[in-house]
Amino acid sequence: MAQFNGKAVIPNKFVFKHLLPALVKDFHMTSILQFPYRRYMKKHSADTEMPISQISLRVNEVCNLACSSCGQWGENGHLRAKQDAGEKLEQLDFDVVKRLIVETRHDKPVYYIWGGEPTLWKPLLPLFQELGKHKLYGSVVTNAQALEPILEDLIDTGALNILFLSLDGWDAESQNTLRSAKNGKTDNFEKVMRVIDKVDEIKKRKGLKMPFVVPITVISNINHEHLAEIHELVADKTQLHPYYYGWFITEERAAQHEKVFADRFGFEPHNHKGYLKSCFNDVDPKITADQIAKIMEISKGRESVPQILPDIYTEKDIKRYYDDHSWDVGYHKCQSIYHVVEVSPNGTITPCRDYQDYTVGNINDTAFYDIWNGEKYKKFRSEMEKGLMPVCTRCCGLQGF
């Protein structure tokens, strides 16, 4: 593993097998390396004015699925609650996004596009065309719902460097259960596998190294006995395969967070309740550790490089991850708040991807750098320098991407 401050970031095998050859082939893409350099090697503090390294656009709130592992549409998801309350589901204004791209382009940030389900956001292809025009790059995390019709056009923009695909099942039945449709009917497994095959065909036909295809697997009650089978599905046609233990909290941790958050910021949080999930309660640590060892064995000599997030492998550590939420797995400080910005569908900017109660401004009516370097952002960074909040120990912004 490539490491910074003792924590794994990217597997060395992926760096040498896929990343470096891609950058040699398309040398102008080396600008994407500014993000890890700024994040892990440059000094920063709450009062420092810094370049923006990653802009995370949550382009919409609507989704075709209601996956149990999701903090938005899962059993306690905050967007499910929003819809049930009759509130409008938001989406980003593309004109505002174009203005943001122009305003920040000199920093050469990478873009991370998610939702909801981003393929249900109509300007997705125009967004990547706009990024390509400015020689900027981005990734999409998707369940592949409406991806196929625009897939080759997206690749042709030259701006798509990573395609993240949600893959939790080892066959059609399990994927369609874990990634369940709201109407009870889905062919999600078939969609994901067709996209993997199609990207592989396009890249070979056009002699491309990118986009990297990166299936993401969330380990859960249902699939933890089948993790190696999932890797076998993608081992020869993808480049990196992250497995997440799952971002979730307990009732006890939620109550602690509410107190700490209110003490620091003066109001009670709510969005964290979407991370109260039961789909991780029965993951067997021994079986999971055995499956991870099997994944590492079968990946030898194959195209796809497995990655475990957070980077723990033994039965003892895996058990501790699920049982002891005070354990931060060695990730003692949030780096994202100095380098990554989260833009919500209504234009609101938040410092945190998962727990978005604290807002710092809105790009619909305020210049980006006035927000990024503003007092509310500085206050959040300053408070976080005092230590993590209770929910932070199970956050993808801390331990994952």
Side-chain angles (χ1 to χ4, degrees), residues 68-71 75 247-249 274-281:
S68 59
S69 61
C70 180
E75 58 189 298
W247 318 118
F248 69 105
I249 60 176
Y275 289 84
L276 291 164
K277 308 172 190 177
S278 62
C279 60
F280 306 111
N281 291 350

Side-chain angles (χ1 to χ4, degrees), residues 46-206:
D47 295 322
T48 305
E49 291 196 0
M50 298 155 291
I52 178 63
S53 297
Q54 176 178 304
I55 295 177
S56 178
L57 300 178
R58 189 159 61 96
V59 295
N60 60 2
E61 294 183 328
V62 67
C63 188
N64 58 304
L65 303 183
C67 310
S68 59
S69 61
C70 180
Q72 297 179 0
W73 288 103
E75 58 189 298
N76 292 299
H78 61 89
L79 292 183
R80 174 182 283 196
K82 182 177 181 178
Q83 185 179 61
D84 290 346
E87 298 179 40
K88 178 185 175 183
L89 297 177
E90 304 281 356
Q91 63 175 336
L92 267 174
D93 183 331
F94 182 48
D95 287 335
V96 173
V97 173
K98 288 193 288 185
R99 174 164 51 82
L100 177 65
I101 291 170
V102 171
E103 188 178 357
T104 60
R105 67 189 186 278
H106 60 279
D107 280 342
K108 295 189 180 300
V110 295
Y111 282 76
Y112 180 87
I113 314 303
W114 66 306
E117 172 45 45
T119 62
L120 299 179
W121 187 62
K122 290 183 179 179
L124 183 63
L125 177 57
L127 166 60
F128 276 87
Q129 291 169 333
E130 189 74 11
L131 293 177
K133 185 170 72 176
H134 294 286
K135 291 185 168 46
L136 297 171
Y137 305 97
S139 60
V140 179
V141 56
T142 172
N143 64 39
Q145 170 63 19
L147 184 59
E148 274 192 88
I150 62 170
L151 181 57
E152 187 155 0
D153 289 336
L154 272 175
I155 293 172
D156 285 345
T157 67
L160 179 63
N161 60 2
I162 305 177
L163 179 60
F164 293 104
L165 296 166
S166 301
L167 181 64
D168 292 342
W170 60 97
D171 57 17
E173 182 180 1
S174 57
Q175 173 74 1
N176 296 339
T177 298
L178 285 156
R179 294 281 168 181
S180 57
K182 293 176 183 175
N183 61 9
K185 299 177 181 178
T186 182
D187 61 350
N188 189 248
F189 182 78
E190 291 81 357
K191 284 180 182 290
V192 171
M193 299 311 294
R194 281 202 309 268
V195 165
I196 290 173
D197 286 340
K198 188 170 181 178
V199 176
D200 186 61
E201 183 274 323
I202 292 170
K203 287 167 64 175
K204 287 176 178 174
R205 171 162 44 90
K206 298 190 173 187

